[in-house]
Amino acid sequence: MNGSAESLPEKVASDDLPIRSRQQMVFTDEYKPVGKPITKAGAELQASGEAVYVDDIPAPKDCLYGAFIYSTHPHAHIKGVNFKSSLAAQKVITVISAKDIPAGGKNVGSRFPGIGEEALFGDPVSEFAGQNVGIVIAETQKYAYMAAKQAVIEYSTENLEPPNLTIEDAIKNNSYFHIPPFLTPQPVGDFEQGMSEADHKILSGEVELASQYYFYMETQTALAIPDEDNCITIYSSSQIPEMTQNVVADLLGLPYHNVRVITRRVGGGFGGKTMKGCHVACACALAAVKLRRPVRMYLDRKTDMIMAGGRHPMKVKYNVGFKSDGTLTALHMDLRINAGISPDVSPLLPSAIIGALKKYNWGALAFDVKVCKTNVSSKSVMRSPGDVQGSFIAEAIIEHIASTLAADTNSIRKKNLHGFESLTKFYGDAAGDATTYSLVDMFDKLALSPEYQSRAAAVKRFNDESRWKKRGISCVPITYEVRLRPAPGKVSIMNDGSIAVEVGGVEIGQGLYTKVKQMAAFGLADLVSDADGLLDKIRVIQADSLSLVQGGYTGGSTTSEVSCEAVRESCAALVERLKPIKESIEAKSGAAAPWSALIAQATMASVNLSAHAYWKPDPSFLKYINYGAGVSEVEIDVLTGATTILRSDLLYDCGQSLNPAVDLGQVEGSFVQGVGFFTNEEYSTNADGLVINDGTWTYKIPTVDTIPKQLNVELINSARDQKRVLSSKASGEPPLLLAASVHCAMREAIRAARTEFASESPLTFQMDVPATMADVKELCGLDVVERHLQSLSAKAGLPVAATPP
């Protein structure tokens, strides 16, 4: 890697990027973006102003449309599928099911290598409510939707065990998935010794976290087109084109080279277009091969929400020991994760949860983790999977300790932040160099600042003077362990000097192609006098599973970094080939070689103008840590439970950002998505495990009315590190953890309400995720009005019965 201080070409970044008036964009050090704004869709679309997604691709001739028929029973034999008599039923061309899988094929809808797979069809038994049991094929998407909704499934539960629908069911029936040893997190220190050193102990703490839906704007979609020689091309909204190719081929019993998966861009992923996206691609491919006609699917929102799975629900019990001054000595945690029906990627979560939890020095850390197999839809990766839960669990425990000691929560946080020695003890090699550890300084900058102290005092004054509205303020630190992975890149220079770049990553709105374009121009800068001018000649082309192999997946926040590094290596190979020709031209002319002349000369000399690299991280530097801190101030309405986020201030360590304008958007978007998880997104199910909050009427994501009234983001350009890609750091997922500051501030506001209205109510209380409006009202006290009126009557000497209604 190269930690050079040299900056990327910055035409695609912008000092003039439109920022909401209530937000600030602050850059530290010398790195500030310049140039013209770029559209979110990507630099290559500035001319047309239009981004084409899978469903925008014109329907091919004779195209058919599909819709899933899904089970509404959690565990039952599927005896048959019929349709109510209707126009839609008359328009059904066929129903594709497991019996249509070709000989040599396999009933598989998704797979994560080395962990496990999930079936495409529930056959002959449906194992969860929401499982696909068939695919309706019709001439139009409208008729396919209508017919699927009018399907009548005949069930039988004969000789079947009752389903495990909850974590408690799984524990009772010992229903777990195996966590491979290489994915199992390791304890730190001696727990028993740590507990023996404690002055105080909490032996029965609990916290519970619910699920969250991805709510991408583009639901799951794919278009499959049969080709010659028993081949098929699939346009898929996927974060994993390569894995999708492999699974489709195994489903159809084809060699992998017969399946081509193309993804230009994804209209929002957040992890939801990984495993579940495979199912839609597989369904279209199977129908297209069976009928020898193009088939496309675009899930309606309800079906998507029912089948998506979403974030993992969790239940935690903890024992923690600590000194009288708040110093932690030991923590033991019993962690139970609801994984759903298949392993998916769930065995990856324990290490992420524990990794984020380790942001504090617990003294000793022990845990018992179980990944529960249940008869509900498989839970999958969602932005900051595991890390957001682990970080929040740490805060819930710290707040419990502070309440027990009647101490200021920030003082407990500060006391237990790592020094570099303990950081290394807990994180090992990921801790990096001492100069890169920025968390303590960031936390101090927010929590110990005069401004914070003034605001905290103002919150107390407000609460003293306001009866029915209460405020809270909280500062939360975060760590996020990032793992690097191999990635391919290819740079090809055309005869006219234009440049095509390919990477394994997919543009999902995270600015990948913007950064890749910048890196390509940066990598070729030694060949031209104006690297910014080179940007106009570069085009990043779509991910294609046959054109660039070993593309891996887009996720984990490192896709931009590793893709950029692969592109930089490709460019370095081209520079090595072209530099002698450049020097020869300049020696003859006495002037800088024009780009066009250089390429023309290289073409005549039969120089290979295409270079491919497969970048692999240094085995000694596979992980590093991101840091951040966030302050949020909220106001709750004691009577209704409504919460208003007045202000959030975020500090985020981006290293030496590859593009601050892009990273700023990632911090903002990630934080807001986290706010939804912590406050109002209820992904509820019925008694059979079927999702019932399956649309915008019942599932509420953050809106302009619920995001912070003022959101201030500061990107910290921390110390350079030669081992990171141009000293950069990830930005896509870690900032979501900062949204816990909103939940923590809500707890402080509720505590103020309980102090005033329910003096006998404990100031230590369990507050789960999400903390919805109803939860806030209940925690404040559902009878606060009655209590208030009774107190007024008592003061006036009136009998309670005389209290006005």
Side-chain angles (χ1 to χ4, degrees):
M1 298 188 195
N2 185 351
S4 168
E6 192 173 356
S7 297
L8 299 181
E10 300 176 24
K11 182 176 180 181
V12 289
S14 172
D15 226 7
D16 304 317
L17 191 73
I19 303 295
R20 290 183 291 276
S21 60
R22 59 183 173 185
Q23 298 181 338
Q24 301 172 9
M25 179 168 61
V26 182
F27 303 101
T28 61
D29 296 344
E30 74 287 353
Y31 190 23
K32 294 189 177 182
V34 296
K36 298 177 180 179
I38 181 169
T39 63
K40 180 181 178 182
E44 76 283 359
L45 296 170
Q46 292 186 79
S48 68
E50 181 180 339
V52 177
Y53 295 86
V54 172
D55 200 51
D56 295 322
I57 299 172
K61 185 176 182 292
D62 297 327
C63 186
L64 298 172
Y65 298 81
F68 283 129
I69 301 172
Y70 55 83
S71 168
T72 57
H73 198 290
H75 198 204
H77 295 284
I78 304 299
K79 308 297 290 184
V81 178
N82 299 298
F83 293 91
K84 297 176 182 177
S85 179
S86 66
L87 175 62
Q90 297 172 17
K91 297 291 185 178
V92 172
I93 292 177
T94 189
V95 174
I96 302 293
S97 64
K99 64 181 177 57
D100 296 300
I101 297 174
K106 182 181 180 182
N107 182 12
V108 57
S110 62
R111 175 193 306 123
F112 197 88
I115 293 182
E117 60 187 32
E118 182 177 347
L120 177 61
F121 297 102
D123 177 71
V125 175
S126 166
E127 295 186 285
F128 64 92
Q131 185 171 29
N132 172 38
V133 298
I135 309 158
V136 174
I137 303 297
E139 293 283 357
T140 68
Q141 189 68 73
K142 177 182 177 181
Y143 283 131
Y145 285 157
M146 292 171 62
K149 286 176 171 55
Q150 293 169 5
V152 179
I153 303 174
E154 183 182 352
Y155 302 102
S156 169
T157 58
E158 186 178 358
N159 298 324
L160 291 178
E161 293 293 326
N164 296 316
L165 295 175
T166 65
I167 288 176
E168 290 78 9
D169 291 341
I171 295 171
K172 178 182 177 181
N173 295 302
N174 201 32
S175 178
Y176 303 117
F177 288 114
H178 173 66
I179 306 174
F182 69 95
L183 294 176
T184 303
Q186 298 302 308
V188 179
D190 186 328
F191 172 73
E192 295 299 335
Q193 180 180 340
M195 289 298 276
S196 69
E197 297 171 355
D199 298 327
H200 306 273
K201 299 175 184 179
I202 297 173
L203 301 178
S204 57
E206 295 186 16
V207 63
E208 186 172 345
L209 301 96
S211 187
Q212 183 185 21
Y213 171 59
Y214 305 98
F215 222 104
Y216 25 61
M217 297 307 293
E218 174 201 41
T219 58
Q220 303 284 4
T221 181
L223 167 63
I225 305 174
D227 206 345
E228 62 184 9
D229 299 327
N230 201 27
C231 295
I232 189 166
T233 298
I234 305 164
Y235 295 89
S236 174
S237 180
S238 172
Q239 295 176 236
I240 48 170
E242 177 188 31
M243 206 179 305
T244 302
Q245 172 202 43
N246 298 170
V247 173
V248 169
D250 289 342
L251 169 73
L252 300 177
L254 298 174
Y256 289 0
H257 69 217
N258 278 34
V259 179
R260 182 184 186 190
V261 176
I262 297 173
T263 303
R264 178 55 185 156
R265 63 177 56 80
V266 171
F270 315 121
K273 299 291 181 70
T274 50
M275 311 299 279
K276 299 299 181 177
C278 282
H279 288 253
V280 179
C282 285
C284 288
L286 179 60
V289 166
K290 171 76 174 179
L291 301 173
R292 301 307 303 168
R293 289 173 64 177
V295 176
R296 79 186 315 161
M297 292 180 68
Y298 192 111
L299 300 193
D300 62 88
R301 181 65 70 180
K302 178 175 181 176
T303 302
D304 195 287
M305 294 190 73
I306 286 173
M307 302 182 75
R311 200 182 288 282
H312 292 73
M314 299 178 191
K315 290 192 175 182
V316 175
K317 294 184 178 180
Y318 58 86
N319 303 331
V320 61
F322 48 97
K323 299 280 192 180
S324 295
D325 66 354
T327 301
L328 300 167
T329 62
L331 170 68
H332 184 279
M333 181 174 68
D334 290 315
L335 172 64
R336 303 296 180 258
I337 304 169
N338 190 338
I341 196 62
S342 77
D344 199 278
V345 297
S346 299
L348 295 172
L349 260 71
S351 59
I353 295 167
I354 301 302
L357 181 83
K358 291 190 295 188
K359 64 182 177 180
Y360 292 115
N361 181 1
W362 299 100
L365 175 61
F367 37 80
D368 178 59
V369 182
K370 293 287 192 299
V371 178
C372 301
K373 179 181 180 181
T374 58
N375 293 93
V376 298
S377 59
S378 292
K379 308 309 170 187
S380 194
V381 288
M382 182 173 180
R383 201 172 193 171
S384 303
D387 298 87
V388 65
Q389 291 100 330
S391 190
F392 170 76
I393 292 165
E395 294 306 328
I397 298 171
I398 289 292
E399 289 183 333
H400 195 166
I401 292 169
S403 180
T404 301
L405 294 174
D408 174 66
T409 310
N410 279 346
S411 68
I412 305 298
R413 291 186 176 111
K414 167 68 175 176
K415 182 175 290 290
N416 293 288
L417 288 178
H418 287 287
F420 187 71
E421 182 179 345
S422 65
L423 184 77
T424 303
K425 176 183 176 182
F426 275 72
Y427 285 100
D429 293 340
D433 299 327
T435 57
T436 65
Y437 181 44
S438 57
L439 182 58
V440 174
D441 290 340
M442 296 173 72
F443 185 78
D444 288 351
K445 183 175 180 178
L446 289 180
L448 301 185
S449 68
E451 181 187 13
Y452 181 89
Q453 302 305 321
S454 174
R455 290 175 61 192
V459 166
K460 186 179 185 308
R461 287 195 302 273
F462 178 89
N463 290 338
D464 290 341
E465 298 168 2
S466 173
R467 181 177 297 276
W468 303 113
K469 291 189 177 181
K470 298 295 181 182
R471 291 183 179 179
I473 187 170
S474 184
C475 182
V476 168
I478 65 163
T479 61
Y480 191 101
E481 195 171 32
V482 172
R483 177 177 289 273
L484 299 171
R485 63 182 188 274
K490 184 179 180 182
V491 179
S492 303
I493 304 173
M494 309 294 119
N495 289 338
D496 65 348
S498 59
I499 303 162
V501 180
E502 294 178 74
V503 292
V506 175
E507 177 60 62
I508 57 176
Q510 83 281 42
L512 167 67
Y513 286 0
T514 296
K515 290 182 177 179
V516 165
K517 283 189 66 170
Q518 287 178 278
M519 184 60 81
F522 172 81
L524 297 173
D526 286 347
L527 299 175
V528 295
S529 57
D530 179 18
D532 281 340
L534 206 57
L535 281 167
D536 293 331
K537 301 181 183 298
I538 299 171
R539 179 190 174 209
V540 184
I541 62 178
Q542 61 198 15
D544 185 327
S545 63
L546 292 185
S547 178
L548 194 67
V549 300
Q550 296 177 286
Y553 61 92
T554 297
S557 294
T558 58
T559 307
S560 293
E561 291 175 76
V562 298
S563 296
C564 282
E565 191 63 8
V567 166
R568 194 183 66 81
E569 287 192 0
S570 299
C571 290
L574 290 171
V575 169
E576 185 178 357
R577 297 172 198 168
L578 293 172
K579 206 160 191 179
I581 298 176
K582 176 180 184 291
E583 292 171 350
S584 175
I585 294 174
E586 291 176 347
K588 293 178 182 178
S589 66
W595 176 253
S596 58
L598 172 61
I599 301 307
Q601 188 68 32
T603 302
M604 292 178 62
S606 299
V607 173
N608 182 2
L609 294 178
S610 181
H612 172 274
Y614 186 65
W615 176 78
K616 293 182 289 185
D618 185 331
S620 66
F621 188 78
L622 295 174
K623 298 181 288 186
Y624 65 82
I625 304 176
N626 274 83
Y627 305 105
V631 171
S632 287
E633 182 178 348
V634 306
E635 180 178 287
I636 64 170
D637 187 316
V638 176
L639 299 178
T640 66
T643 298
T644 300
I645 308 173
L646 302 175
R647 175 177 167 183
S648 291
D649 300 271
L650 313 180
L651 277 181
Y652 186 68
D653 180 359
C654 269
Q656 302 295 306
S657 173
L658 295 176
N659 187 312
V662 168
D663 288 337
L664 173 83
Q666 288 294 288
V667 172
E668 291 177 340
S670 188
F671 177 79
V672 169
Q673 192 166 40
V675 167
F677 172 59
F678 283 111
T679 62
N680 60 330
E681 294 187 34
E682 290 186 281
Y683 202 20
S684 302
T685 60
N686 65 13
D688 289 324
L690 183 72
V691 172
I692 53 176
N693 285 11
D694 54 13
T696 55
W697 188 253
T698 51
Y699 191 86
K700 303 300 182 182
I701 62 173
T703 67
V704 69
D705 296 321
T706 54
I707 64 174
K709 299 299 181 185
Q710 184 179 0
L711 177 57
N712 305 315
V713 178
E714 183 175 352
L715 303 183
I716 301 297
N717 283 358
S718 61
R720 299 183 185 278
D721 189 329
Q722 296 290 327
K723 296 178 181 179
R724 299 198 307 265
V725 179
L726 294 186
S727 294
S728 66
K729 282 189 172 185
S731 64
E733 295 175 284
L736 192 145
L737 279 58
L738 294 170
S741 62
V742 173
H743 192 281
C744 294
M746 292 168 66
R747 183 191 293 270
E748 296 298 328
I750 293 169
R751 186 175 284 116
R754 290 166 77 99
T755 299
E756 175 156 353
F757 290 103
S759 57
E760 72 280 7
S761 296
L763 298 183
T764 300
F765 51 91
Q766 184 175 339
M767 183 172 166
D768 297 327
V769 176
T772 64
M773 186 171 169
D775 295 328
V776 171
K777 182 176 180 180
E778 181 175 0
L779 288 171
C780 287
L782 294 176
D783 57 350
V784 289
V785 175
E786 289 80 0
R787 286 172 178 265
H788 174 62
L789 294 176
Q790 287 174 6
S791 67
L792 292 179
S793 298
K795 289 178 182 179
L798 298 174
V800 174
T803 301

